[in-house]
Amino acid sequence: MKGYASLSAISLGILSLFIHGCAVDYRHHISAIVEDYQHGSYAAAASEAGNAVIHAEKDDKRDQLALLLEAGATERSANYIPMSTQAFDHADTLFNYYDEQAKTRISKETTVAFLNQAALDYEGTGYDRIMTNVYKALNYLDQGDKDNARIEIHRIADSQRKDEERWSNQLRQSQQAAKENNADAQRAQADPHVQQQTNGLLSDFNDPEDQDALRNLSPKAVYDNPYAEYLQGLFYLYSDDAGDREVGRVALRNAAGMMQSNQYAVADAHLADRVANGGSLPARTYVLFETGMAPTRVAVQIYIPVYIRGANMITVAFPALKKIRTDVRSLTASTRSGSYQTQMLADMDSIVAREFKNELPTIITRAVISATLKAAMTYGADQAAANSGWEASVATQVSMLLYQGLTNEADTRTWRTLPKWVELASFDTPADGNVSLQPEGGPPGQSVHVNPGHSAFIWVRCPSEFASPVVRVFQLN
């Protein structure tokens, strides 16, 4: 039995070393992708993301979904539209697989207990799923494929429903695992020091303007995304099926209700009211401006109390959410008739932060389970080592130290190439079809041409002040 304890500790140490090495690979890939993307080297970022996906498929499938999302976004910006759609299709397949597994699976909680949350497969967040469908719909609309775009538009609402189910399943399974492992997660979460430390995980979002997004919301409201609602509204408003216009009216009203300060969104909702009631649909141009980069996750150390013999406080690595600064706040679209400065439609910083806050109880519960189990294992190993020979004692203690150190790793995986903000402007399509686009505080703008007498959608992506904007244009009718 003593030999077995020593062997088990050594095996855990070796496994921990392997898991840690895989995490280092992911961080290397994501760093290269983000650096290229922020500097406007879209093709290089797409190539790096594609190679990272191939590496993950072959050597470490845990990160496969996270890297597929980066591949889809960077390939879209690099104008590799079919490749982008293929990456997002693969991501969608994995979303569905994880949804089915999550209904009954408890084994992942055991994985978390022995290793850490970074050792799990990345299963995606709610906003990951919704934005995947948004980008697939835009890809199909770029290519004039309205039938497949309709499928993706429909999936946006379905993704929201699945996100609520997924959140409920995760919370239930983590609570069940805590009970089975005698981990007093509720007591740990109620500890004032733990609350103070976990509140610091969102310290970047303590500005007054962020408080509305971070307030306690119903599960459904957590996953509301005005960008997705607005895109649904436009699609159905300009559908050839007259029955769709009522659906479009409701979606545009929803988007305007979420962002009442956006004058364009409110005006577009009023236009949809008139059209749904039999009014004519004028030729309009819609500019969607994606700027900056979504928040990143960084590892911080938090002290977690465990209530077993031989242990008191254990240091646990947690992910903290950090904003990425950008000087490119808005875009001005100019025509012969006037200039139109974009206004906030979707604050992706806040969307990411409020879902992070919603998931925090599950993250903390899993951390308490892991800390409790590791404390018990360490105590048991120390007792066994005390009764073993010198060699076995040293090997056991070294392996346990290695195991604890290498498994104390936060899960910092997140979709980095999402935008920080999504902004909107809409106006009558100019008679000459010429529209000039100039990011404020960013690189030189450019001019595009839309078809006079028709409605057009202009998508602009500018990840930083160092990157030339990507512009894509398609007709809505």
Side-chain angles (χ1 to χ4, degrees):
M1 189 68 181
K2 296 174 185 176
Y4 175 75
S6 176
L7 180 61
S8 298
I10 294 171
S11 298
L12 283 170
I14 293 172
L15 177 59
S16 305
L17 189 60
F18 171 75
I19 294 293
H20 179 75
C22 293
V24 171
D25 285 344
Y26 170 77
R27 290 195 293 269
H28 170 77
H29 286 304
I30 199 65
S31 177
I33 294 167
V34 169
E35 182 176 2
D36 283 336
Y37 194 72
Q38 282 186 305
H39 286 83
S41 299
Y42 304 115
S47 177
E48 179 66 37
N51 290 334
V53 168
I54 294 171
H55 176 79
E57 288 176 342
K58 183 174 62 176
D59 296 327
D60 187 14
K61 293 184 180 296
R62 294 175 309 139
D63 304 326
Q64 186 177 7
L65 175 55
L67 293 168
L68 280 167
L69 298 175
E70 306 293 0
T74 54
E75 287 162 354
R76 173 168 172 76
S77 294
N79 199 25
Y80 304 153
I81 301 302
M83 292 173 63
S84 171
T85 302
Q86 185 178 19
F88 285 134
D89 277 341
H90 195 172
D92 248 341
T93 300
L94 290 176
F95 286 141
N96 292 332
Y97 169 76
Y98 291 133
D99 285 341
E100 289 302 313
Q101 293 291 309
K103 294 176 182 177
T104 58
R105 184 179 56 194
I106 197 71
S107 61
K108 70 176 180 180
E109 303 299 337
T110 303
T111 303
V112 171
F114 278 98
L115 296 171
N116 54 47
Q117 297 185 60
L120 292 174
D121 290 340
Y122 182 80
E123 298 186 9
T125 63
Y127 58 84
D128 284 347
R129 296 157 186 249
I130 291 170
M131 290 302 295
T132 293
N133 296 134
V134 165
Y135 286 141
K136 285 173 70 178
L138 289 174
N139 282 350
Y140 285 124
L141 288 170
D142 278 343
Q143 297 178 307
D145 186 348
K146 291 189 175 181
D147 289 339
N148 275 313
R150 176 182 289 272
I151 292 172
E152 298 306 324
I153 292 291
H154 177 75
R155 284 176 175 167
I156 290 173
D158 191 48
S159 291
Q160 185 181 58
R161 177 185 59 79
K162 288 182 178 180
D163 291 337
E164 296 172 48
E165 293 177 1
R166 170 181 161 273
W167 173 80
S168 178
N169 285 333
Q170 280 191 345
L171 188 61
R172 173 180 54 81
Q173 290 176 358
S174 64
Q175 290 172 343
Q176 180 182 343
K179 183 177 180 180
E180 292 177 355
N181 287 281
N182 296 316
D184 198 341
Q186 289 185 335
R187 185 177 174 186
Q189 290 189 49
D191 185 284
H193 296 294
V194 172
Q195 291 181 352
Q196 182 180 17
Q197 292 175 93
T198 54
N199 287 341
L201 300 176
L202 282 161
S203 60
D204 255 17
F205 296 81
N206 287 338
D207 294 336
E209 64 181 22
D210 294 315
Q211 295 311 301
D212 186 58
L214 294 180
R215 73 188 190 280
N216 291 327
L217 299 170
S218 68
K220 181 180 185 302
V222 167
Y223 303 106
D224 283 342
N225 186 320
Y227 187 8
E229 286 288 331
Y230 188 83
L231 181 62
Q232 290 180 81
L234 284 188
F235 178 84
Y236 288 120
L237 189 66
Y238 284 90
S239 167
D240 294 331
D241 186 344
D244 282 343
R245 290 187 173 179
E246 174 60 22
V247 180
R249 182 186 73 86
V250 171
L252 286 172
R253 285 175 64 90
N254 287 343
M258 295 177 201
M259 299 300 294
Q260 297 180 29
S261 61
N262 188 307
Q263 299 173 359
Y264 302 110
V266 172
D268 293 337
H270 289 318
L271 171 63
D273 283 338
R274 296 194 298 271
V275 171
N277 290 321
S280 60
L281 191 59
R284 298 278 290 173
T285 293
Y286 304 87
V287 178
L288 270 294
F289 179 50
E290 296 188 9
T291 182
M293 303 280 282
T296 185
R297 294 188 180 199
V298 299
V300 298
Q301 300 294 322
I302 287 180
Y303 291 102
I304 295 288
V306 292
Y307 305 100
I308 63 171
R309 182 181 178 185
N312 185 14
M313 301 291 287
I314 287 187
T315 304
V316 179
F318 271 77
L321 204 61
K322 297 295 180 184
K323 291 182 179 180
I324 303 298
R325 185 189 64 83
T326 182
D327 290 334
V328 187
R329 179 64 197 240
S330 65
L331 175 144
T332 298
S334 301
T335 70
R336 284 188 175 181
S337 301
S339 296
Y340 310 89
Q341 186 173 22
T342 59
Q343 298 175 3
M344 181 76 73
L345 176 65
D347 184 345
M348 291 302 298
D349 273 358
S350 294
I351 289 172
V352 172
R354 73 190 185 207
E355 187 169 343
F356 180 90
K357 181 177 184 292
N358 198 51
E359 298 283 347
L360 203 50
T362 298
I363 295 173
I364 296 172
T365 297
R366 288 174 170 173
V368 172
I369 295 170
S370 182
T372 301
L373 183 60
K374 290 173 185 177
M377 290 173 62
T378 300
Y379 179 77
D382 286 343
Q383 294 299 307
N387 299 319
S388 302
W390 181 84
E391 295 86 353
S393 175
V394 171
T396 299
Q397 293 184 28
V398 169
S399 295
M400 287 306 299
L401 287 172
L402 178 65
Y403 164 62
Q404 287 192 20
L406 293 180
T407 58
N408 187 25
E409 187 161 7
D411 185 1
T412 58
R413 294 170 295 182
T414 185
W415 190 351
R416 294 292 313 280
T417 51
L418 282 175
K420 181 181 182 71
W421 299 306
V422 180
E423 301 222 331
L424 166 70
S426 60
F427 44 87
D428 290 337
T429 298
D432 62 1
N434 295 322
V435 180
S436 175
L437 305 169
Q438 177 58 57
E440 303 297 322
Q446 54 187 286
S447 296
V448 298
H449 186 80
V450 297
N451 288 336
H454 293 271
S455 292
F457 187 103
I458 302 175
W459 180 83
V460 185
R461 180 69 174 106
C462 187
S464 77
E465 58 270 30
F466 309 110
S468 297
V470 178
V471 181
R472 299 194 61 77
V473 183
F474 58 83
Q475 279 190 194
L476 288 168
N477 63 354

